[in-house]
């Protein structure tokens, strides 16, 4: 009986020694501090990032139309929008094309880094919008 007890005790001690480093390593992993809100973006500022194209249904006529989106670092919008109910601010910005010329202009830059001058920006509010913020008036900045 004593031999059985000693064997089990040795087994428990061995398992404890193997598990303790893993437990102490987990305790050392602290959650990173909360992210700070992004830099502010105001009217007239430049927004740079990768341009993506998405096909969505137009609410007016139901046709599929191309929608363009810039993925950038988190930004803070001017008041009253601020962070758009997000922890760090929006990272995806939908570019609203008002003319066919703007859509054609953006089509050649899909998948590439672009810069746009922001003239009018707001948080996304319509159901089904894929981006966190919407840029309704903008102009493309030519890279040199």
């Amino acid at each position: 009986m004593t031999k059985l007890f000693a064997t089990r005790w040795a087994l428990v001690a061995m398992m404890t020694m193997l598990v303790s480093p893993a437990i102490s390593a987990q305790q050392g992993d602290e959650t990173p501090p909360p992210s700070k809100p992004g830099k502010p973006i105001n009217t007239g500022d430049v927004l740079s990032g990768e341009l993506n194209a998405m096909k969505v249904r137009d609410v007016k006529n139901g046709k599929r139309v191309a929608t363009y989106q810039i993925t950038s670092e988190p930004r803070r919008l001017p008041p009253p929008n601020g962070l758009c109910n997000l922890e760090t601010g929006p990272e995806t910005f939908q570019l609203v094309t008002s003319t066919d010329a703007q859509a054609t202009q953006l089509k050649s830059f899909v998948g590439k880094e672009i810069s746009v001058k922001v003239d009018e920006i707001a948080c996304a509010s319509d159901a089904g919008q894929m981006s966190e913020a919407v840029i309704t008036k903008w102009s493309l900045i030519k890279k040199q």
Side-chain angles (χ1 to χ4, degrees), residues 25-99:
Q26 286 179 351
Q27 289 173 348
D29 292 342
E30 295 179 14
T31 57
S35 301
K36 293 182 180 177
K39 299 187 307 188
I41 185 165
N42 296 306
T43 301
D45 287 353
V46 174
L47 178 69
S48 298
E50 183 180 350
L51 182 67
N52 300 312
M54 301 176 290
K55 294 279 189 180
V56 295
R57 294 243 180 243
D58 188 9
V59 292
K60 295 177 185 170
N61 58 17
K63 290 184 180 180
R64 291 184 62 165
V65 294
T67 301
Y68 297 95
Q69 178 184 55
I70 293 180
T71 305
S72 179
E73 63 186 11
R75 302 298 288 262
R76 187 172 59 238
L77 275 55
N81 296 318
L83 300 177
C84 295
N85 297 326
L86 300 167
E87 189 174 314
T88 59
E91 295 179 24
T92 55
F93 301 86
Q94 179 181 347
L95 292 176
V96 176
T97 54
S98 55
T99 64

Side-chain angles (χ1 to χ4, degrees), residues 81-140:
N81 296 318
L83 300 177
C84 295
N85 297 326
L86 300 167
E87 189 174 314
T88 59
E91 295 179 24
T92 55
F93 301 86
Q94 179 181 347
L95 292 176
V96 176
T97 54
S98 55
T99 64
D100 290 336
Q102 280 185 328
T104 305
Q105 186 181 30
L106 288 178
K107 192 180 244 183
S108 62
F109 291 107
V110 172
K112 299 177 183 169
E113 287 280 323
I114 67 164
S115 297
V116 294
K117 180 182 172 196
V118 176
D119 293 325
E120 203 170 285
I121 189 168
C123 293
S125 58
D126 295 339
Q129 282 184 322
M130 300 294 204
S131 300
E132 299 160 344
V134 179
I135 302 173
T136 51
K137 292 184 182 176
W138 52 272
S139 56
L140 189 64

